[in-house]
Amino acid sequence: MKIVLAYSGGLDTSVLVKWIKDRFNAEVITFAADVGQGEELSGLAEKAKATGASAHYTVDLKDEFVSDFIYPMIRANAIYEGQYFLGTSIARPLISKAHVEIARAENADAVAHGATGKGNDQCRFEIAYAALAPDLQIISPWRMDEFREAFPGRSEMIEYCRQHNINVQASASKPYSMDRNMLHISYEAGILEDPWFDPTVPENKDMFKTTVAPEDAPDKPTYIELDFEKGDCVAIDGKKMKPSDILVTLNKIGGENGIGRVDIVENRFVGMKSRGVYETPGGTILEFAHRNVETITMDREVMHLRDSLIPKYAELIYNGFWYAPEREALQALIDKSQECVTGTVRLKLYKGNVTCVGRKSPLSLYDENIASMEGVKSEYNQNDATGFIKLQALRLRQRARKQGVSDEIFATKTKLVRE
């Protein structure tokens, strides 16, 4: 039996290489997706082979991650439950696709992952595997009784590594878990499981890796201009860049200005609530800028229709349905809505805040003459509003006449004083 294991080199997956190899009497090949973790990927091939893997793949997915996954999501302004920019969620379908490609290339029988049985990632990975390779067997050790009985905690894993000469840098006390990619860093579990715990106080704020605390950001604001074409950011301050370079640049600028920190309790797909702390500096800037280009280029009814679909679209990504037909159908509508979202936005970044201080577009629907309050002549005639308002109010007028007005409306505590 040949199994391809998603591998990070951390404690869990280091244990899994040996455990899966023995449990299934299998050849284990490890795979790591480079979606912007940086130094975390250093030395993985050597470590995996020393742990028992017959071969290792580290696949550079950074450009594809931004252009084919993050950018389509930004076009939708997708934010889960109004706050979470889906940084971990959007990486999983790409990682799953590469995992399946390696399994096919190696003629493997199964894919395996180290996602816990309580989280969202098990759903995201396995739903994607099912959509892309329904014939592959899926091995999820954390949902196997024998694995959990053998490793009820980190101390048992550390002891297992010691017994089998597996080199890991781990301690029994783990303050929190961290997941990093080009879009964000997430922090969960451990000390963060207490929703009252404050990671921003001086003694805790070293947890953050990519953003300074807003109060420590420069006292002088930073101004940047972003150019968009059909909903995608293509340039910063007039300099054209590929999508991945744009995100890297915005992460740096945003991080320096304390942009993109979120601390939320979210609803996991498996049913529980979970506290998460996130840093998304570049993504926060991108989404805000994109929305502001839309304000002058996007038809009102198209915008409102698209906006009504954002919660569903975000939920599909969060739950793991990137490769589902409903997400693909929504994406087609979203991409159609972006055909005229072309223009430039000027932003002011200051101590954790992003403010739009200018927007322009050759396709702008904003007409200064129509909007002006200075009596400028245009095709808008105020007199036309009389009939418009009267027709809009017709049903309410009839309701009041025929069915009356509720006494509760006027049953207020307002004191009317005649002077």
Side-chain angles (χ1 to χ4, degrees), residues 128-328:
Y129 299 149
L132 301 176
D135 56 305
L136 280 177
Q137 182 181 343
I138 300 170
I139 297 172
S140 179
W142 278 106
R143 295 205 306 272
M144 299 172 64
D145 291 339
E146 59 186 295
F147 183 82
R148 294 197 309 276
E149 289 169 2
F151 304 106
R154 289 175 60 81
S155 59
E156 289 80 8
M157 288 188 164
I158 293 169
E159 176 60 21
Y160 180 87
C161 290
R162 188 193 65 78
Q163 291 176 0
H164 296 283
N165 296 316
I166 299 171
N167 182 26
V168 292
Q169 299 295 321
S171 63
S173 62
K174 188 179 182 185
Y176 49 78
S177 65
M178 186 177 81
D179 182 85
R180 182 171 191 164
N181 62 46
M182 293 183 72
L183 184 57
H184 88 155
I185 301 181
S186 69
Y187 308 92
E188 293 181 325
I191 56 177
L192 296 173
E193 289 177 353
D194 176 5
W196 194 251
F197 176 83
D198 182 1
T200 68
V201 296
E203 59 267 29
N204 298 327
K205 67 181 184 181
D206 286 345
M207 178 183 81
F208 296 94
K209 307 301 181 189
T210 61
T211 60
V212 301
E215 60 267 27
D216 296 333
D219 294 329
K220 182 180 179 181
T222 298
Y223 290 86
I224 58 172
E225 292 186 4
L226 303 185
D227 296 333
F228 284 79
E229 293 179 2
K230 295 185 176 181
D232 292 343
C233 186
V234 297
I236 301 175
D237 292 331
K239 182 181 178 181
K240 292 265 189 178
M241 303 182 196
K242 65 181 181 179
S244 57
D245 288 340
I246 283 175
L247 186 57
V248 168
T249 302
L250 292 180
N251 278 333
K252 182 176 185 299
I253 297 171
E256 291 169 347
N257 285 277
I259 307 297
R261 291 187 179 187
V262 173
D263 186 335
I264 63 174
V265 173
E266 67 201 59
N267 290 294
R268 284 184 176 173
F269 189 26
V270 292
M272 70 184 70
K273 289 185 181 290
S274 172
R275 194 267 190 97
V277 179
Y278 302 100
E279 293 180 274
T280 318
T284 300
I285 296 170
L286 266 181
E287 193 277 335
F288 184 84
H290 174 256
R291 169 67 78 174
N292 277 277
V293 177
E294 288 184 332
T295 62
I296 59 171
T297 59
M298 204 169 183
D299 174 79
R300 180 188 71 182
E301 296 305 315
V302 173
M303 177 184 285
H304 291 180
L305 175 62
R306 192 282 314 276
D307 285 358
S308 72
L309 300 171
I310 289 175
K312 180 62 178 178
Y313 181 92
E315 181 182 90
L316 288 172
I317 294 175
Y318 185 84
N319 292 346
F321 290 93
W322 180 264
Y323 296 111
E326 62 269 33
R327 200 284 307 176
E328 294 167 354

